Amino acid sequence: MEEEIKAEFLKNGFSLDDEAEILNKCLTFCIQYSLSPSDLVSSWDVYSLNRGLQLTVQSSHMGAFLQQLQNERREDIVKKEPGLHFYSSDISMMLNDEYENTKEIILGTPTDKRKTSQSETIVSARKTNGSISTSRKHLETITPFGQRKSKFVVQFTLNENANGESMKIENDEENLNDDIIKRVQPIKRCSLQIISSQPEPGCRFMYDRTENKFNFLESRIKDHTTALVASGLHEEPTDPTVASQRSVFAVGMICCEEEGRLKEKPILLQSSVEHSGGQRVRLDLQNLDHFSVFPGQVVGVEGHNPSGHCLIASKIVDRIPLSASSTENLPPTKKQAMDQYLQSTSAVVAMPELSLIIAAGPFTTVDNLFFEPLAELLSYARRKQPQLIILLGPFIDSDHPEIKKGTVDRTFDEIFQDEILARLRDYVEYMGSAARVILVPSVRDASHDFVYPQPAFDIQSPDLEHQINSITNPGIFCANEVKVACCTVDVLKQLSAEEISRNPQGGSKHFYPLYPPAEGVPIDFSLAPEALQMSTAPDILILPSDLAHFVRVISLGERSEGEEVKCICVNPGRLSRGEGGGFFMELNYHGSCDSSSASVLRI
């Protein structure tokens, strides 16, 4: 089996520094965990991507890799049997599948106590401003999340002392247990303009025809071509499939020759119907010092095709110049909304400033539907008083064990209303009229249309309609002249699995540039395809992912006048992880990306 493991590593582009020792350890892992060589290497691929490791597998990483395999094994068991409680001494039993014999609940065990106390949960309701607001306290229930000792621990900080303000969190017990209600002052109220308007609420997935896919892809190539030519930096594209000794410029979409992951050889370029009849040509990248490509990416290519069968690239243009991607390229409705917003706020806000708390679901742990992480987050927000909270789905997670088993005694809409909206109504009522919350749906939301792109939630709360809002997925809005773009599909993880690169530079301006879409993404190209376009550069880009949380300032290029354009790219992580707490982010935007500060916190 060692030879099979080695062959699988080499097949996926990895090399081994201490071959004998690594293969011996990997063989042990395969036997211990009943893994095939391909499963083992797939797990290593995810592990190395999450940690940004090189393609050389080192023996020193085997210990941490073993820990990941143990965590994966435990998570699989928890998903199958969410009622089980494991102690640290149970690891060997888990590895040998002996846990199957422990499924019976014994009186007096933690599992039995949890189930008994859960049946005694007290639910009380009180009326607030004419509407029912449900307040739940699981008085007898002791959960792993509730027993955690460390709360709101800073994991990472960006520009901690920017503008003389620190994002350091006070951990003293007095602050954490402070029940004094603080309100967001009216002078701190943020102006809000939702730019995204499609797809409309109530639209339904019907049938994504081949014609819709073709028109969508052709439109992307044409738009990219128009923008590149309009920049004045490139000539009108030609047919890349025609043999020519001279250098040509072509625009097309990166494609795989066959199903599976993209490999450096062979890569195909599919040009537009206008220039080549939609034909594909083999693309040779060997002469390039740097590139980053993935299936579905639309690029410009400079090169020559001496034989008519292979375009030898001398330059890849993988981003549209910012001078050609201003608001002039926005759809009419979006452009009108943007212009009206900028006119109304230009005289009011001298320098864009915005304080945010950003969190992505799931908002409850896998062992219950108590939504304790969400309650803790809102409690933290009451003390910190942000101008805006951005919550990204899933809210009612279709992958939650109790949802998948169908053991809940309420509809998904009732859970969303009682557990999510009721808590948010309480929050904004306590915090005052200046507090605002934005919700972004996810394709994993059981209570919402799951086809991507998604319409906004239909939040029927007339008395609080200016405080609790929802946008489409993906969506863009402006708050205090700060443009914020959000997308809850895990495009970072999916791109990391498909992209090949060499000294990558540049990037894409599309919310979901991957084609064909990753397995499990229910995308319909007939539903408002313009909603997937990122026609304007955001100040903050929020992309929640299962990959490691991060916040960083990235460069989007330079404008025609030489000004460098930057963006704060954010992955806040997941608010809950298994039976424990996860991560969220606090961000203070002060005029520009470089003068802003942010912190990733463990809840």
Side-chain angles (χ1 to χ4, degrees), residues 14 41-55 68 261 492-499 547-548:
F14 295 105
V41 175
S42 295
S43 295
W44 173 263
D45 198 7
V46 174
Y47 172 82
S48 62
L49 284 172
N50 286 344
R51 288 156 180 78
L53 302 180
Q54 301 297 323
L55 292 177
Q68 173 172 300
R261 294 183 60 177
L492 293 178
K493 184 176 181 180
Q494 293 164 16
L495 280 176
S496 67
E498 299 291 341
E499 182 184 44
L547 298 180

Side-chain angles (χ1 to χ4, degrees), residues 266-280:
I267 298 174
L268 301 181
L269 182 74
Q270 177 179 322
S271 188
S272 66
V273 173
E274 177 184 357
H275 293 103
S276 70
Q279 296 185 60
R280 297 179 175 183

Side-chain angles (χ1 to χ4, degrees), residues 280-293:
R280 297 179 175 183
V281 65
R282 197 178 298 267
L283 186 62
D284 188 343
L285 305 178
Q286 294 302 308
N287 295 336
L288 299 181
D289 293 329
H290 57 79
F291 62 84
S292 175
V293 294

Side-chain angles (χ1 to χ4, degrees), residues 5 9 26 29-30 35-44 65 69:
I5 296 173
F9 272 117
C26 288
F29 298 162
C30 286
L35 296 174
S36 66
S38 61
D39 291 338
L40 179 80
V41 175
S42 295
S43 295
W44 173 263
F65 179 49
L69 292 177

Side-chain angles (χ1 to χ4, degrees), residues 344-361:
S344 64
T345 58
S346 58
V348 179
V349 182
M351 183 178 69
E353 291 191 357
L354 185 65
S355 59
L356 298 164
I357 284 182
I358 305 168

Side-chain angles (χ1 to χ4, degrees), residues 199-205 449 453-455 527:
E200 299 292 341
C203 72
R204 290 293 186 272
F205 167 74
D449 298 331
Q454 296 174 278
L527 290 178

